[in-house]
Amino acid sequence: MSARPSPWSAHRGTRFVLVLSVLLMASCGSSKGLRPVHGKVLYRGNPIQGALVVFHPKGNDDMTAQRPSGLTASDGSFSLSTGREEGAAEGEYVVTVVWLKEPEPPAGKKVISTEPGGPDPVDQLQGRYADRTRSKLTARVDKKESNNLEPFRLE
């Protein structure tokens, strides 16, 4: 006596494609509602290049919360991205800024290595804006077509 195959097992490939399609549509939907966000970071009145700017949603300590981020250009300007999508979701944010500087190699030596153990980069802002629980920097992203923020003036 042979067992009849389940109708679901006969369409296992179809079910896989259906589930995958639903997951992809859900992930694509997450980019909806992102608004372009542009800003500038100044340190002692001067633009800084290569600083990492991260927006942390206020009141959301969840590890999976999306945190839009961007790097500053030579004129201190940045644009936020959330994952691979440009922009940030509407809401209130605490902002952190870290401006790393590669340590200088010892005199007369060139340092090119992928091995651990070398000197760590140093935050040129000495961690004053690196912790979201202590940062006094805040921003709001509105439903506007584009959000051009006032410069963050760091001391």
Side-chain angles (χ1 to χ4, degrees), residues 112-118:
I112 298 177
S113 174
T114 58
E115 296 298 317

Side-chain angles (χ1 to χ4, degrees), residues 19 37 112 118-119:
V19 169
V37 179
I112 298 177

Side-chain angles (χ1 to χ4, degrees), residues 9-151:
S9 63
H11 300 288
R12 180 172 288 156
T14 304
R15 281 188 305 158
F16 175 76
V17 171
L18 180 64
V19 169
L20 183 61
S21 297
V22 169
L23 289 174
L24 286 173
M25 287 187 326
S27 68
C28 290
S30 66
S31 68
K32 291 182 181 176
L34 296 182
R35 303 290 180 214
V37 179
H38 307 281
K40 187 175 261 195
V41 179
L42 304 173
Y43 177 65
R44 296 185 177 163
N46 297 311
I48 60 175
Q49 179 177 2
L52 176 63
V53 181
V54 180
F55 279 42
H56 304 267
K58 277 190 178 180
N60 188 349
D61 294 334
D62 187 0
M63 291 298 289
T64 61
Q66 293 187 336
R67 291 173 176 80
S69 61
L71 282 174
T72 59
S74 61
D75 64 351
S77 65
F78 66 89
S79 296
L80 292 182
S81 295
T82 301
R84 293 183 178 177
E85 301 292 326
E86 181 184 335
E90 176 186 2
E92 297 282 334
Y93 293 90
V94 173
V95 180
T96 57
V97 180
V98 177
W99 186 25
L100 296 180
K101 178 181 179 182
E102 289 293 324
E104 295 293 324
K109 291 190 176 184
K110 290 185 177 183
V111 178
I112 298 177
S113 174
T114 58
E115 296 298 317
D120 290 330
V122 177
D123 182 4
Q124 296 180 82
L125 303 171
Q126 300 173 353
R128 288 189 300 269
Y129 307 97
D131 185 347
R132 69 178 171 82
T133 62
R134 295 184 316 167
S135 177
K136 303 291 185 223
L137 304 174
T138 61
R140 173 163 180 72
V141 175
D142 293 318
K143 277 191 170 180
K144 300 177 190 175
E145 184 144 335
S146 184
N147 289 266
N148 294 308
L149 306 176
E150 290 293 318

